[in-house]
Amino acid sequence: MAQKKLAIIAAKGTLDGAYPPFILASTAAALDYEVQIFFTFYGLQLLRRELDLKVTPLGNPAMPMPMNMDKWFPTMLTALPGMETMMTTMMQKKIAEKGVASIQELRDICQESGVRLVACQMTVDLFDMQPEEFIDGIDYAGAADFFAFAGESDICLYM
Amino acid sequence: MAEFAQEVDASGLNCPLPILRAKKALNSMEKGEKLRVVATDKGSVRDFAAFTQQTGNPLLESSEDSGKYIFIIEKG
């Protein structure tokens, strides 16, 4: 049986947005899929050497908050200074408590299991980012390179 | 317990870590050897059935014992 292929486009750079691509990619690799993730726009944050991912309730009414704050806390106040840091800290605490993998760990497993990580060269240029800011072992390419793999893939996801 | 070549304790770990740890252990094993996995993640019951079926490593046993899920997998 031919090896199955999973192609993912990761376009989000938040802590919550980082989980779906890395969980699915690492699991697919464990299921012997050939996997590629194309990181574009804010998704490039997931390739940084030093991850500094945050989560915010601002503009996200579906995000559960402590003390049922999502039910009564005025939306406008989620823009207050410190809210993002507070929510990120609480989320990280929950992640550790519940035995959920860190993004760092999932990313390491992806690299160890041969997932190809591709940074969108156009976005790197657009945001004046430098290759030194990113982890080693990644490729830099564009849309045509993505299609070379995605066109042959069994599953193709945009996240 | 000499019948298991390796054992993975994934207690307290959440999806997809039990599967990823099991896969790592299987990679270092020989065909026909057995792996015992202990997990506490409720989702792992369906996940290990799906994982073993898709990777061709037979799931010899899947059981529960007071909140612990035990899986015996044969390396295929």
Side-chain angles (χ1 to χ4, degrees):
Chain A
M1 199 172 70
Q3 188 179 26
K4 290 195 175 185
K5 294 182 181 179
L6 166 66
I8 296 175
I9 296 180
K12 295 197 183 85
T14 54
L15 179 59
D16 48 337
Y19 274 93
F22 283 127
I23 286 183
L24 293 179
S26 58
T27 303
L31 294 171
D32 302 322
Y33 278 61
E34 184 181 350
V35 188
Q36 183 168 314
I37 313 178
F38 185 76
F39 297 85
T40 187
F41 276 80
Y42 315 111
L44 281 178
Q45 303 297 341
L46 312 185
L47 291 177
R48 285 193 182 280
R49 274 178 204 281
E50 304 297 329
L51 288 169
D52 183 25
L53 306 175
K54 296 188 167 68
V55 60
T56 175
L58 183 61
N60 181 7
M63 184 178 157
M65 288 164 73
M67 297 173 289
N68 283 326
M69 278 166 74
D70 46 309
K71 304 287 187 299
W72 56 267
F73 196 74
T75 302
M76 206 171 78
L77 299 186
T78 59
L80 284 175
M83 280 298 282
E84 186 181 280
T85 306
M86 188 176 98
M87 287 302 153
T88 301
T89 306
M90 299 191 83
M91 181 76 91
Q92 283 165 338
K93 193 162 160 273
K94 277 273 183 209
I95 286 168
E97 274 173 13
K98 304 278 183 181
V100 172
S102 68
I103 291 301
Q104 179 82 57
E105 182 175 9
L106 290 173
R107 189 174 73 177
D108 288 348
I109 293 171
C110 281
Q111 286 203 289
E112 284 163 21
S113 50
V115 174
R116 182 174 180 238
L117 307 178
V118 185
C120 169
Q121 181 68 60
M122 180 276 283
T123 320
V124 172
D125 293 343
L126 178 67
F127 292 141
D128 291 317
M129 291 162 149
Q130 304 301 322
E132 304 87 76
E133 300 170 34
F134 300 114
I135 51 175
D136 297 328
I138 64 173
D139 291 333
Y140 295 82
D145 178 85
F146 173 75
F147 281 108
F149 181 81
E152 307 270 289
S153 69
D154 299 276
I155 303 173
C156 188
L157 303 169
Y158 179 87
M159 296 182 161
Chain B
M1 284 295 165
E3 54 192 306
F4 307 113
Q6 284 202 48
E7 175 154 345
V8 168
D9 184 4
S11 301
L13 299 180
N14 220 317
C15 169
L17 286 176
I19 292 288
L20 300 181
R21 296 281 159 86
K23 174 66 179 178
K24 195 171 182 183
L26 284 166
N27 281 345
S28 67
M29 290 167 50
E30 302 290 333
K31 188 175 163 66
E33 287 185 329
K34 294 186 182 80
L35 170 71
R36 182 174 189 264
V37 182
V38 181
T40 50
D41 168 27
K42 285 195 191 72
S44 64
V45 177
R46 284 221 162 84
D47 273 353
F48 272 95
F51 166 72
T52 51
Q53 188 251 324
Q54 289 175 81
T55 52
N57 299 297
L59 181 61
L60 304 180
E61 187 190 318
S62 173
S63 57
E64 198 232 314
D65 180 19
S66 52
K68 297 252 182 197
Y69 302 94
I70 319 284
F71 307 99
I72 314 285
I73 302 164
E74 184 184 317
K75 165 100 171 190

